[in-house]
Every structure is written in C-alpha cells, then in structure tokens.
Amino acid sequence: MVTKILMPRLSLTMKKGTVIEWFKKEGDNVEKGEPIVEVLTEKVTYDIESPSSGVLRKVLVEEGVDVPVAGVLAVITAPEEELPEVEVTAEPPLERVEERIIASPAAKRLAKEYDVDLAQVKGTGPEGRIVEEDIRKYVAEKKVTPKIREVIPLTGIRKTAAERVSLSARTAPHTTLNMEVDMSKAAKLREEVQVSYTDIVVKAVAKALVEHPIINSTLENEQIKVFHDINVGVAVATEKGLIVPVIRNTDRKSLEEIASELKELAEKARQGKLIKDELTGGTFTITNLGMYGVDTFTPIINPPETAILGVGRLTEKPVVENKKIVIKPLMNLSLSFDHRVVDGAPAAQFLQKIKKILENPEVLLA
Amino acid sequence: MREVTYRDALREALREEMLRDKTVFLLGEDIGRYWHGAFKVTKGLAEEFGDERVRDTPISESAIIGVAIGAAITGMRPVAEIMFGDLSALAMDQIANQAAKLRYMFGGQAKVPLVIRMPFGAGVNIAAHHSQSFEAWFMHVPGLKIVMPSTPYDAKGLLKTAIRDDNPVMFFEHKLLYPIEGSVPEEEYTIPFGVADVKREGEDVTIVATLYMVQKALAAAEELDGQGIEAEVIDPRTLVPLDKQVIVNSLKKTGRIVLVTEDCKTGGVSAEIAAVVAEEALDYLDAPIKRVAEPDTPIPFSPPLEQFVIPNEKSIIKAVKEIIY
C-alpha cells in the first residue's frame, strides 16, 4: 500500500511549511508512529510521524524547501512494492474538515438544551456514539451552565434599573447603618390620623433632612451639591419592576397631604400611568421591605442621591425598660449612604434624628 | 374477575351484539351448527339464533364478502368470518376496491358497517398458505379499520365496537390466542378504536407489539426484568386508527424503541410505526429503532424452521440488548 506523507496544517492560518530535517533516508524501514521528518511553520517546529509502517520509498522534498499545506513530502510503500508515479506538486490545501461527531438524536437534543459542546463529550455507545446518558454524566460532572428555561431580554424598566444600580454600586462607596426604633407612639399616631407607617416614615425623613441638609445632596464633578428642595422618593414594586415616584417638597407637606399623594402615586405607578415629573427630581429615597418580613437589609443608593433609607419589618419584641421586660413594637431602619459625601458619624446622627422623631411622632403634626 | 378464553370472549361479544341488534348476523364457512367454525368461536350461536342469522356459506371468500357488503349497504350489520386470514386474498377485490371505497364513491349516501373476522399468524404447523400475517396489506388501503386484540378483554371490547362501527373493520385474531385466558368483566363494556394500551410499564425501553406478539413481548419483558432492564410494552390494539401519542410519549420516557410484529419485515407494520417515530419523535431517540419481524420468507411447514422465523422472546431480548449499551 502506498502512503503519502503530506505537509500538515498545524494552524488555521498556515499556508506552507519548511522541511527542516529528515530523520530517515530513502530505503529506510519506518514504523508507524515513528518521527520521520521535522517541519517548521511560522510558529512552531513539528515532527511528522510516519502514518504507516513500511519502507520510505521516495523523498520528494529536500531539507530547507517550502511546501504548501497538503503538499507531498515523501512516499512510503510496502517493502517489495513498486513505486507508482507520484505527483510532486502540492495538492490544493484541504479545508479543515470537522470530524463528524456521532451522537444520538436524543443526546443532541439534550446537549443543545444544556449548551454542551459535543466535541467535549466522550461517547460510550457503539463506535463511540454519544448517547443521552453521556450528556447527563457530562452535565453532572462538569457542572455546566444550568439548563436555560427561557431568555428574557434586558429591556425597559429592568434595563434602566440594572444600569442605575450598577452605576451606584460602582461609584458610591456604600456603608449601611442599622438602627432599631420603638414604634409604640407612631402606632398610636397611625391609628389616630389614619395614615400608613410609610407615610409617617416619609414625613419623619423629610423633617430630619431639614436638620441634616448634607444628606440631601449629590456628588457631581468633585462638588457636593446640597439641595434646597427636599423631594423624597418612595420605591414601589410593580409588575414591570421597581419604580420610584417622588413627593416634591416633602418637608412642606402635612402628614395627611403626604398620605394622600403617596396613595395616588403608588396607584398610578402600579397602573403604569406616572408622568416624567412624578418620577424625577428626587433627592432622597425610602424603600420598604418590611411587608415581606425583612428585618434589615443594605439598600443601594438611588443615584445621583447621597443616601437611601431601608425600612424593615415592624414586630413586637420584649424590651428591657427600667429593669422590666415590656413588649414593644420595634422596627429596623437601614441607612445606606455615600461615604464620599459624609462620614459615618454625621450619617449616624441623621439616622438617630429619624429615630427620635419616630419615637416622638407628635412633632410630625406640628 | 372471572377468567375467560379469547375464543369465549369473542363469542360473548357476538352473542351480546346479536341480542342487542337484530341487524347483526354472521356468515362464513362452516360457522353454523354442524362445525361451529374452524376455531369454534361461533359454538352454540346457530342453535340460539337460528340458521338465518348464523349462515354457512359456500367455499368462496369473494362471495362471502360480496354478500356481506351488499347486506351492509342495505342496512344489516354482517360479521363475516374468513376461515384463515390468508384466504382473504381471494376476497381482496371486494375488500379493497368495494368495501373500503363504497362510502366515498357514493358521496356518503351508503355506509358499510361490516366486520371481517380473520385468524392470522404462524406457530401451529400448517404451512405457508395458512400462517401469514396480512396487516400491512390492509393498512395500505384507505377506508379500512384494523383491529388486533391481544387479550380476551380487548377481543370482546373491540369486537363490540367493531360491530357498532359504520365502516368496514378488519378484525384480526390469532390462532394461538384462542385458548388464552384472561379477565373479562361480566358487565357490558366496549373499547374505543385508536387507544393504545400500556400492557406493562417500564423506564428503559419501549416495546411496541401487536396481536400474539404482545404475549411474547410481555414474556421477554419479564425475563429482562430479571436482568435489570425495565421494558414498557405497548399494544396499539388498533393499527387504523393508530394511537401515535402513547407510543411517542413512551419513547420520550425511554429513548429506545423496539417494534415487534409478526408480519414480514419489509414494508411491514413495524416500518410504518418506525416512520412515525422518526417523523414525530426523532429528537427523543437515543438509539436506532429496532424491528423484530418475520424474515421475508414463506412460513415453513417444518416445525423447527417455522419456529426459527417467528419472532420470539429470544429475538426480542436480543434486539433490546442491542440498543441498551
């Protein structure tokens, strides 16, 4: 049998190679797998191994000569075999042919579902066919990307939210302070005035911001700009995502006004009817996860604001007061602030102020 | 529940339908009071219903079916018996060109409520003219329904449905099934066409088998169970209409399918089911479809040679193991 030794394609871009050294000469016996000639490409040298056993019948290319990919370098024949006429010219370079991977249809389907490259899977079926079980094992062992059920494009509110929280987390060094608040009096007030805890917290925050204006600010071009207006935004969860309607001049509105405005804004938010003015101009944000049973969390600041207040669950707990254990409704507040703008102490003082107001909420009615 | 033979279950269906509907009558060679049919399915019926409703006919299959078609389109519900299914070839023009087409050719103004009962199959040493399986022939004729019960329960329920059907029904019986016993309830029941039955559940491989091959497939499944392979055995029960969904659903579970039929492999029923699987459930195949069928040869008279060509537990198990790696 006549076997031609060809210039191999060692990289996708390789067009030709140079014969560097023949390890065998014409008439030598060669064994299959034995290095027979060294070739050089732009990048590497490579020993071509004999593709079959026999006699190196004819060497067609001298050392130092360039040969295109798939060009014939030499011919191996059986010991007694006549040498046929061999075209010395290079055969047209072969396109790289993907080796056909044999896999059952079921295995292919599963591989597609898990985005598994069949070339990486070892088949255990007949003649190495990849079967369903092989994919399952591969997925289990390699811990490949979990199977995808559906793909949701990042658009609309989700996209905006993604961009904004990334911007905030990337630029503002966040610190979160947690503080427990006694809501006994606020609970009474809530009953009396018929408002929600959120309304009370909004009003309390606005009042605290009046006394701590540095929190009501933004960092822009190496300038801390302290806002004159106090516009508190309240995060509302809607079917389409989280949006933050803003109550303008919160500090100048009464608790009842805040309550009715917030109710209207929240309803519009759920119906997707908020207009641009109602969604912009915020200087501080409040976010409440208490209704989901969350005690404390670390909210991400709503850029370009300086701080955000997270409201946790209101729950009755035993508290030691005057050396006696009494039961009180307690609530956690979580204040995240931009540490570039303020340090921990002023932020803590601001939080303390909110606590103080909430524990003496009659001041909100003034 | 009481145990009844396949033969007796068929007789019960005939008797109950004859009692229920006076237009139902039987005709065929030697089915009357002197012989009760070659396989004794009509035993006692001539005595009970009279020779008018259980009619012995001359030895002419073409005449039997021709008469039955005429009776059917004029308002009767004949149940014709062909003594050996092989002999239906003699009536093929009546079946394929008349029975199957009249309703269509008359624009729906005539209907052909005809049942043709025929014992098929090999295994009783009666050679090439009395041992064949013709289901593929009939399956290729639009207008014919094909019923192939594998148990006494199915035989009774499907025969009653066949008699009540307004179209020609080829009712396949198997010589080796007649003495087989199975549970049959006392009370009235029918089995709709086009509903396959899962005769045994399993996770590893789906075996679709018809008629007597269902019994062999179940025996093979039992043996495979002992070797840790759980086979699901599905009996389509009717080939026309064919319940594709049950077959495809089973394949989705097992990923492997073996088709066992007693007809010749080439152009056989198993080829049709294999094509359905390839067309509708390719992505669930984890191994090649396997067919176990008779080789393309006349059924030999020699008992050892006959046994050699009929699919059996061994050939089914072999096929299953070829696709369970």
Side-chain angles (χ1 to χ4, degrees):
Chain A
M1 199 188 77
V2 176
T3 310
K4 294 177 190 172
I5 297 171
L6 308 179
M7 176 62 72
R9 186 197 288 273
L10 298 170
S11 69
L12 273 176
T13 52
M14 176 176 163
K15 297 259 189 305
K16 60 177 184 175
T18 312
V19 172
I20 298 298
E21 186 188 352
W22 285 100
F23 303 129
K24 297 279 176 180
K25 54 185 191 295
E26 281 184 12
D28 281 357
N29 286 323
V30 292
E31 293 293 319
K32 185 178 177 185
E34 194 178 7
I36 201 164
V37 60
E38 183 184 37
V39 295
L40 173 74
T41 72
E42 290 161 14
K43 292 170 185 151
V44 290
T45 61
Y46 178 77
D47 291 348
I48 299 176
E49 294 173 354
S50 179
S52 63
S53 298
V55 173
L56 183 61
R57 186 63 67 192
K58 185 81 183 164
V59 171
L60 295 160
V61 182
E62 289 174 27
E63 290 173 357
V65 174
D66 288 353
V67 180
V69 167
V72 183
L73 304 179
V75 179
I76 293 168
T77 66
E80 305 304 326
E81 199 173 351
E82 293 261 322
L83 177 65
E85 292 235 340
V86 178
E87 287 266 332
V88 187
T89 52
E91 292 168 13
L94 300 167
E95 283 307 306
R96 202 167 75 104
V97 179
E98 290 280 344
E99 199 181 329
R100 184 174 143 73
I101 297 166
I102 301 172
S104 79
K108 284 180 181 165
R109 173 182 52 80
L110 202 63
K112 204 172 169 187
E113 283 174 13
Y114 281 102
D115 201 18
V116 167
D117 178 7
L118 285 174
Q120 307 301 319
V121 181
K122 188 175 154 36
T124 60
E127 290 164 20
R129 182 193 300 146
I130 299 167
V131 295
E132 216 176 337
E133 184 62 21
D134 298 328
I135 305 289
R136 290 195 197 288
K137 277 191 186 143
Y138 182 86
V139 168
E141 281 167 17
K142 304 280 173 179
K143 301 194 170 45
V144 298
T145 328
K147 190 169 163 179
I148 289 162
R149 192 174 73 179
E150 62 172 319
V151 175
I152 303 163
L154 196 60
T155 55
I157 290 184
R158 193 69 250 148
K159 190 177 182 202
T160 309
E163 284 165 0
R164 290 176 63 80
V165 294
S166 308
L167 172 75
S168 180
R170 202 167 55 237
T171 55
H174 281 59
T175 305
T176 304
L177 308 175
N178 293 305
M179 198 174 277
E180 205 167 42
V181 181
D182 176 357
M183 295 293 281
S184 306
K185 289 185 181 170
K188 275 192 197 123
L189 178 75
R190 179 171 161 269
E191 293 291 317
E192 287 163 22
V193 197
Q194 293 289 310
V195 292
S196 72
Y197 283 115
T198 305
D199 300 330
I200 295 170
V201 173
V202 169
K203 179 67 185 165
V205 163
K207 202 166 176 62
L209 284 172
V210 173
E211 291 179 36
H212 296 264
I214 188 66
I215 307 293
N216 195 48
S217 65
T218 187
L219 178 62
E220 191 183 304
N221 300 330
E222 306 202 348
Q223 292 177 323
I224 297 169
K225 294 179 177 170
V226 179
F227 293 112
H228 176 268
D229 294 341
I230 293 173
N231 300 338
V232 175
V234 178
V236 177
T238 71
E239 276 176 22
K240 288 183 177 173
L242 184 78
I243 54 176
V244 185
V246 173
I247 300 167
R248 290 184 179 253
N249 301 314
T250 324
D251 57 321
R252 282 184 258 155
K253 285 175 179 161
S254 72
L255 192 52
E256 288 89 343
E257 282 169 339
I258 288 171
S260 80
E261 190 173 335
L262 191 55
K263 197 173 170 188
E264 191 189 326
L265 288 172
E267 188 52 40
K268 277 167 120 178
R270 284 186 197 100
Q271 292 174 355
K273 286 181 179 166
L274 288 172
I275 57 167
K276 192 166 173 261
D277 282 355
E278 292 164 330
L279 285 166
T280 52
T283 60
F284 186 94
T285 299
I286 293 171
T287 173
N288 188 348
L289 291 178
M291 60 284 229
Y292 303 111
V294 172
D295 286 322
T296 63
F297 57 111
T298 54
I300 289 180
I301 299 161
N302 187 12
E305 297 166 11
T306 286
I308 184 167
L309 185 73
V311 180
R313 178 172 61 146
L314 191 142
T315 179
E316 292 197 324
K317 284 182 184 171
V319 177
V320 178
E321 202 176 63
N322 301 327
K323 299 200 173 172
K324 278 184 184 164
I325 294 173
V326 292
I327 292 171
K328 294 200 159 192
L330 299 180
M331 187 176 81
N332 268 293
L333 296 178
S334 307
L335 179 76
S336 289
F337 64 96
D338 184 345
H339 218 307
R340 295 173 303 177
V341 179
V342 282
D343 294 328
Q349 283 163 4
F350 169 67
L351 187 55
Q352 212 169 22
K353 181 70 195 172
I354 300 172
K355 174 182 162 84
K356 206 168 173 182
I357 295 169
L358 288 173
E359 290 181 349
N360 301 284
E362 57 280 359
V363 299
L364 297 176
L365 297 174
Chain B
M1 213 185 288
R2 71 199 173 113
E3 295 283 298
V4 172
T5 64
Y6 188 89
R7 173 189 290 117
D8 291 346
L10 288 168
R11 186 186 305 115
E12 282 184 11
L14 292 171
R15 184 172 172 273
E16 286 172 24
E17 291 306 295
M18 289 175 84
L19 285 170
R20 190 184 63 82
D21 182 349
K22 291 215 172 341
T23 66
V24 176
F25 75 100
L26 316 182
L27 72 166
E29 293 160 10
D30 290 330
I31 65 166
R33 66 179 73 237
Y34 305 106
W35 194 244
H36 298 128
F39 296 94
K40 308 303 170 199
V41 173
T42 51
K43 190 174 179 185
L45 294 180
E47 289 83 344
E48 182 174 356
F49 294 98
D51 300 336
E52 283 275 294
R53 292 184 72 191
V54 184
R55 302 183 75 102
D56 274 332
T57 66
I59 304 178
S60 170
E61 284 72 17
S62 182
I64 295 169
I65 304 305
V67 164
I69 292 169
I73 61 176
T74 52
M76 302 296 282
R77 291 192 173 269
V79 180
E81 179 180 301
I82 300 290
M83 190 182 280
F84 288 90
D86 313 66
L87 310 174
S88 64
L90 289 154
M92 209 56 177
D93 179 63
Q94 292 296 338
I95 295 170
N97 288 331
Q98 306 304 333
K101 297 191 171 58
L102 284 179
R103 187 168 190 171
Y104 175 81
M105 295 302 287
F106 285 132
Q109 293 182 69
K111 53 186 183 183
V112 190
L114 160 67
V115 177
I116 306 178
R117 291 182 39 245
M118 298 171 278
F120 280 101
V124 292
N125 195 212
I126 48 176
H129 290 105
H130 295 82
S131 304
Q132 301 170 84
S133 299
F134 284 170
E135 50 268 39
W137 287 15
F138 295 115
M139 204 177 182
H140 202 64
V141 179
L144 301 178
K145 295 185 179 180
I146 303 176
V147 181
M148 304 187 88
S150 67
T151 65
Y153 178 87
D154 291 348
K156 183 174 178 185
L158 288 166
L159 183 52
K160 289 174 78 110
T161 303
I163 291 170
R164 296 178 194 186
D165 199 287
D166 281 342
N167 298 289
V169 176
M170 305 291 108
F171 197 91
F172 280 60
E173 297 164 12
H174 196 288
K175 301 164 192 92
L176 289 170
L177 283 173
Y178 288 123
I180 280 183
E181 289 196 338
S183 302
V184 176
E186 301 270 1
E187 59 272 20
E188 162 93 33
Y189 70 95
T190 58
I191 297 170
F193 289 174
V195 180
D197 190 34
V198 179
K199 297 290 186 197
R200 181 194 174 103
E201 291 192 8
E203 300 289 327
D204 300 328
V205 60
T206 300
I207 302 176
V208 178
T210 56
L211 210 60
Y212 187 54
M213 290 301 117
V214 175
Q215 304 285 344
K216 301 254 172 129
L218 286 169
E222 191 62 36
E223 203 173 319
L224 285 165
D225 193 20
Q227 301 172 29
I229 296 171
E230 285 182 30
E232 179 145 300
V233 178
I234 291 175
D235 177 3
R237 299 200 290 199
T238 60
L239 293 181
V240 180
L242 180 65
D243 187 346
K244 299 175 182 178
Q245 205 53 54
V246 165
I247 296 170
V248 167
N249 287 349
S250 177
L251 175 69
K252 284 182 178 175
K253 180 170 70 168
T254 64
R256 299 175 175 83
I257 193 161
V258 175
L259 310 170
V260 189
T261 57
E262 205 183 312
D263 61 344
C264 298
K265 188 172 180 178
T266 302
V269 165
S270 56
E272 176 59 29
I273 299 174
V276 166
V277 168
E279 280 184 337
E280 300 187 14
L282 182 76
D283 287 339
Y284 293 91
L285 280 171
D286 202 26
I289 301 168
K290 279 282 164 192
R291 289 191 284 157
V292 182
E294 260 162 22
D296 301 335
T297 169
I299 305 298
F301 172 71
S302 148
L305 290 181
E306 183 182 34
Q307 285 309 315
F308 179 75
V309 301
I310 305 171
N312 57 28
E313 291 89 325
K314 249 173 88 178
S315 52
I316 297 168
I317 289 168
K318 182 169 172 279
V320 165
K321 289 191 170 171
E322 278 171 7
I323 54 168
I324 291 191
Y325 319 122

